[in-house]
Amino acid sequence: MTPIEMYIQNGYEVMNAIIENADITTEEYPTVNIQLKLPCGGVVFGGYSFAHITKGDFKIEGWEKGMTAIFRIMEVAGVDHWNKLKGSPVRAILKDQRIYAIAHFLEDKVMDYRLAPFQEKTSL
């Protein structure tokens, strides 16, 4: 069974989508957030804080998972540069109008913040 089939079996909907925007922000200082905007009802994938910036000193804590997320998102979208994410096709994996994961448009590659290496548990 493919990863996409497992999501569908667990009640998730899979939709084709084009990434409208890709951001790495410190808008909610002192945290660093990663977000992808997809046209699935204007829903954002991400918004998770992966690093904390210490005021007055450029010290970043917790960045390993953030860097892993950045490269995993690029891999799943099939790009080699963050700026190429905008306009890239992906599959959005949703439940109750919330995006839980993204998948490569053709290959069995999935990025889900609820699974390893981002979380200890490995269930949907």
Side-chain angles (χ1 to χ4, degrees):
M1 181 179 303
T2 69
I4 296 298
E5 290 170 337
M6 288 176 24
Y7 281 98
I8 292 169
Q9 185 178 18
N10 283 294
Y12 290 83
E13 179 182 1
V14 178
M15 296 177 64
N16 293 337
I18 302 292
I19 297 173
E20 293 180 343
N21 205 10
D23 291 316
I24 298 174
T25 73
T26 57
E27 207 169 75
E28 295 182 29
Y29 190 82
T31 63
V32 177
N33 297 299
I34 300 168
Q35 297 180 342
L36 299 180
K37 186 170 189 299
L38 301 172
C40 310
V43 180
V44 171
F45 172 69
Y48 299 95
S49 172
F50 281 108
H52 296 279
I53 301 170
T54 304
K55 269 189 174 180
D57 182 18
F58 195 72
K59 180 181 178 189
I60 299 176
E61 299 173 13
W63 193 239
E64 182 179 337
K65 287 183 181 180
M67 290 302 295
T68 301
I70 288 168
F71 288 106
R72 185 70 182 146
I73 288 168
M74 289 174 23
E75 177 187 22
V76 166
V79 300
D80 58 3
H81 194 283
W82 186 262
N83 288 345
K84 293 180 183 176
L85 283 170
K86 184 177 179 177
S88 296
V90 292
R91 291 186 281 177
I93 300 168
L94 304 97
K95 190 183 259 189
D96 301 323
Q97 298 182 331
R98 179 173 178 220
I99 299 173
Y100 285 93
I102 60 169
H104 189 277
F105 197 66
L106 299 173
E107 299 174 16
D108 288 329
K109 296 178 182 176
V110 176
M111 166 56 176
D112 189 332
Y113 286 111
R114 298 170 300 161
L115 303 177
F118 306 104
Q119 303 294 326
E120 295 293 323
K121 69 179 188 173
T122 56
S123 62
L124 305 177

